[in-house]
Amino acid sequence: MAESKGALIAKSVQKHAGRAKEKLLQNLGKVDRTLDDIFEEHLQNFNRQHQQATRLQKEFNNYIRCIRAVQTASKTLMEAITEVYESSWSGHDLLYVQAQNMEMLWQDFSHKLGDQVLIPINTYTNQFPEVRKKIEKRGRKLVDYDSQRHSFQNLQANAAKRRDDVKITKGREQLEEAKRTYEVLNSELHDELPALYDSRVLFYVNNLQTLFSAEQLFHSESSKVFLELEAITDKLATESQRGSYKKPAIKPATNGGTDTLQRSPETPEKVNNNIEEKKQVNDEKQKDQDKDKEIDKEKDVDKKDIEKDNQMKNEEVYDIPVGK
């Protein structure tokens, strides 16, 4: 078991060394190489097709991630809007229904893009690595075929000096086997590569039609939802302008207390009566004040008269007769 495994490893190393030597000689121009212009054209088409499919897959994966992010953002935004829109406002229940419709549209849109667009793209792109492996294997077998061809040519050249039928026979068998292996792979790829390249048209037609149809349906239905939402807010604006949602003002108490109950407005007659009553009270107060001032003046006059009489009496008592 160990010997057979070691033999396989040695054989593999020998193959790699032989291929490396053959490629080096070909690059240096020491030996010729087998050319296939038709296959080279198929290979260029394959490389371009693979590159384009890989980019489409990458960009659409990014697009799907963005769609799902916007889907989440739209859901939270509509939740905030329904929370802001008070239950007493016109169209509250209808707005909630439209928000739910919008969420369902996003779910259907995201699901359709994932199942009907992204999965086919992944399936289409996954076939390229397998074909790439087959192309690489064909390249290795081509190098083996060229190597056996050059070895057999050398045996034939040396046969003129020293003919060795055994080596020539073995060399011919190895050449034929290498040629047969290469031609089988080459023939298969000559059929598969053009078919794969031609399949791109039908694939892109179906895939892009599905994508554009999903986009059109989503935006068409979502525009209807937003039209309904706009109509709801327009109705609310109209009712608000009419004063339907104004809250009555509450005046504070004027007697120093904390009573904040709303009082009924006074009639003009009652207001006029209150003004007249206040005016009468003020007039009476003014009269009382004037009367008090007159009494005070009379008291001052009486006091001055008394003081004058007393002074006169004192002068009479202490008056010294003339000549004394």
Side-chain angles (χ1 to χ4, degrees), residues 125-141:
T125 308
N126 289 338
Q127 62 185 330
F128 290 97
E130 295 298 324
V131 178
R132 176 72 65 185
K133 290 180 181 179
K134 198 168 186 179
I135 292 173
E136 292 174 352
K137 184 178 180 180
R138 182 253 183 199
R140 292 192 298 270
K141 297 305 179 181

Side-chain angles (χ1 to χ4, degrees), residues 228-285:
E228 291 292 335
L229 293 174
E230 184 182 10
I232 292 172
T233 53
D234 287 344
K235 185 177 180 181
L236 177 64
T238 302
E239 294 183 356
S240 177
Q241 291 174 356
R242 294 173 180 173
S244 302
Y245 300 101
K246 288 184 178 179
K247 190 174 182 180
I250 300 177
K251 295 182 179 180
T254 59
N255 57 359
T258 58
D259 185 15
T260 58
L261 294 177
Q262 183 178 3
R263 292 174 172 79
S264 59
E266 297 179 345
T267 60
E269 293 80 1
K270 189 173 181 180
V271 172
N272 293 331
N273 292 335
N274 291 337
I275 294 173
E276 292 177 358
E277 290 176 358
K278 289 180 180 180
K279 186 176 180 181
Q280 291 176 359
V281 171
N282 292 332
D283 292 342
E284 290 177 358
K285 286 182 178 180

